[in-house]
Amino acid sequence: MVEKTMKKLNYDRSALIETLHTAQETFGYLENETLKFIARRLKLPFAKVYGVATFYHFFRLKPKGKHTIVVCMGTACYIKNANKILERLEKKFNIKAGETTKDELLSLISARCVGSCSLAPIAIYDDKTVGHLSVEESEKEAEELIK
């Protein structure tokens, strides 16, 4: 599927993001061997492919958990204690942002901005967006998610 996407786009270097999307949809995440393959086929330096894959929060370099929590760390959210929300969730689940619990039940992600500044601080629990979060409420939402 990845090769098919690159071929359809004539192995154009500007097709990198679309190719990464296809690879992630196909394999669930982007492991190093996949990134190296894409770099070779698109004739791009590995560092460029890796840089793009790590810059955008929707790309994953590790398997995703059954559930996902995305905590916005944009300026508006950060000012309203998003960092404390993230710290509480990291402590509760014994993982850091960008990691998945050992049982693969939960992935915790920090995003540069989710574009909902008026709801700051905000987090997304799977497909449920919750704004004006308190630290305590963020933990309660997380517990509900993994029930």
Side-chain angles (χ1 to χ4, degrees), residues 72-83 114 116-117 119-122:
C72 181
M73 296 300 286
T75 304
C77 290
Y78 189 86
I79 289 170
K80 294 188 176 186
N81 296 321
N83 60 321
V114 299
S116 297
C117 300
L119 298 174
I122 187 170

Side-chain angles (χ1 to χ4, degrees), residues 55-121:
F55 179 78
Y56 294 102
H57 81 273
F58 44 80
F59 290 128
R60 295 180 301 279
L61 301 182
K62 295 179 180 172
K64 182 180 165 191
K66 181 178 178 185
H67 299 284
T68 304
I69 300 173
V70 178
V71 179
C72 181
M73 296 300 286
T75 304
C77 290
Y78 189 86
I79 289 170
K80 294 188 176 186
N81 296 321
N83 60 321
K84 292 180 181 170
I85 290 170
L86 188 61
E87 287 169 9
R88 172 73 68 93
L89 295 172
E90 288 176 334
K91 186 174 180 179
K92 176 169 184 58
F93 295 105
N94 196 30
I95 57 174
K96 294 287 183 192
E99 296 180 344
T100 299
T101 56
K102 289 180 183 175
D103 61 4
E104 296 185 354
L105 185 61
L106 179 73
S107 293
L108 181 61
I109 300 169
S110 67
R112 287 179 180 84
C113 183
V114 299
S116 297
C117 300
S118 64
L119 298 174

Side-chain angles (χ1 to χ4, degrees), residues 34-61:
T34 303
L35 297 177
K36 288 176 186 176
F37 172 78
I38 292 169
R40 278 192 311 272
R41 298 300 281 152
L42 294 181
K43 295 182 172 70
L44 289 167
F46 174 75
K48 171 141 178 114
V49 175
Y50 184 83
V52 170
T54 56
F55 179 78
Y56 294 102
H57 81 273
F58 44 80
F59 290 128
R60 295 180 301 279
L61 301 182

